[in-house]
């Protein structure tokens, strides 16, 4: 049973004018797809081929002989999660328990956005900014390259891809502008709330 590339949960043009169809075509159809192909090639005929993506990530993370497997498996997971964290006409504000928890944890939604943007903006090189649940508490973390917070026992609620391929066609070097746009106009808060409901 091979690992598969899930389709984007929206059309290529749905995130315009913020993220272009061209970016999504390259990012999903080329970058995300190649991580899936690489993972299948690297796990072919091995016991890992029949495990879940999460199991592959957790079993390969601290194994120097499986660095390629970890990188590709985590990138498959990270991208699928990132697509789901955005939607057409996204942004706005979270509601209900998630909104209360964000206010209790960060003081306000604006302060959350400020800290999330800071985390993504200061991740040197490639990586991700995340909102996670850690022992019942909300935390913002940043990770390099393919790294994923599930290997630290955290439950991801939200992520922004800060690899240059995520924003360069639309924002060039202006990563902070991309992150501000992500926070203001792209987040699918319903999806984030679903992750929070599962994590509690
Ligand atoms: Mn990416």
């Amino acid at each position: 049973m091979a690992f598969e590339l899930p389709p984007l949960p929206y059309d290529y043009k749905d995130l315009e004018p913020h993220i272009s169809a061209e970016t999504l075509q390259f990012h999903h159809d080329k970058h995300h797809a190649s991580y899936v192909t690489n993972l299948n090639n690297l796990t072919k005929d091995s016991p890992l081929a029949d495990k879940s993506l999460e199991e592959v990530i957790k079993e390969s993370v601290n194994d120097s002989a499986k660095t390629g497997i970890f990188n590709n498996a985590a990138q498959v997971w990270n991208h699928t999660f990132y697509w789901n964290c955005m939607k057409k006409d996204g942004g706005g504000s979270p509601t209900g328990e998630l909104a209360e928890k964000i206010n209790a944890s960060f003081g306000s939604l604006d302060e959350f956005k400020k800290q999330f943007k800071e985390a993504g903006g200061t991740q040197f090189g490639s990586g991700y900014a995340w909102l996670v649940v850690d022992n019942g508490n909300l935390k913002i973390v940043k990770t390099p390259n393919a790294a994923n917070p599930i290997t630290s026992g955290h439950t991801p609620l939200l992520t922004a891809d800060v690899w240059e391929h995520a924003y360069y066609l639309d924002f060039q070097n202006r990563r902070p502008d991309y992150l501000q746009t992500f926070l203001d106009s792209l987040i699918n808060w319903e999806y984030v709330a679903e992750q929070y409901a599962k994590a509690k």
Side-chain angles (χ1 to χ4, degrees), residues 23 27 35 51 63 89 96 103 136 195:
T23 289
H27 201 173
Y35 298 127
K51 303 216 168 177
D63 186 341
D89 302 321
N103 287 335
Q195 308 317 303

Side-chain angles (χ1 to χ4, degrees), residues 27-28 31-32 35 75 78-79 82-83 127-128 160-167 178:
H27 201 173
H28 177 269
H31 291 279
H32 195 179
Y35 298 127
Q75 284 292 71
N78 294 350
H79 282 87
Y82 169 64
W83 305 136
Y128 297 82
D161 186 341
V162 299
W163 288 55
E164 282 189 344
H165 65 223
Y167 61 87
Y178 155 69

Side-chain angles (χ1 to χ4, degrees), residues 12-13 15 36 56 113 122-123 172 174 190 192 200:
Y12 294 114
K13 285 183 174 298
L15 303 186
V36 175
V56 174
K113 287 185 181 182
T122 57
Q123 171 53 41
Q172 293 78 48
R174 293 175 287 113
E190 291 79 14
V192 180
K200 276 194 303 173

Side-chain angles (χ1 to χ4, degrees), residues 99-108 115 131 136-139:
E100 287 168 23
K101 187 73 174 177
I102 285 175
N103 287 335
S105 305
F106 302 102
S108 66
Q115 291 184 27
L131 174 66
N137 300 311
L138 293 193
K139 267 179 35 181

Side-chain angles (χ1 to χ4, degrees), residues 147-196:
N148 180 306
I150 64 175
T151 62
S152 310
H154 300 162
T155 304
L157 303 185
L158 171 72
T159 196
D161 186 341
V162 299
W163 288 55
E164 282 189 344
H165 65 223
Y167 61 87
Y168 213 83
L169 294 175
D170 302 315
F171 295 89
Q172 293 78 48
N173 59 317
R174 293 175 287 113
R175 189 193 288 184
D177 291 353
Y178 155 69
L179 285 164
Q180 193 67 52
T181 299
F182 174 87
L183 289 160
D184 291 340
S185 306
L186 291 169
I187 293 179
N188 180 348
W189 282 113
E190 291 79 14
Y191 182 75
V192 180
E194 281 169 31
Q195 308 317 303
Y196 180 58

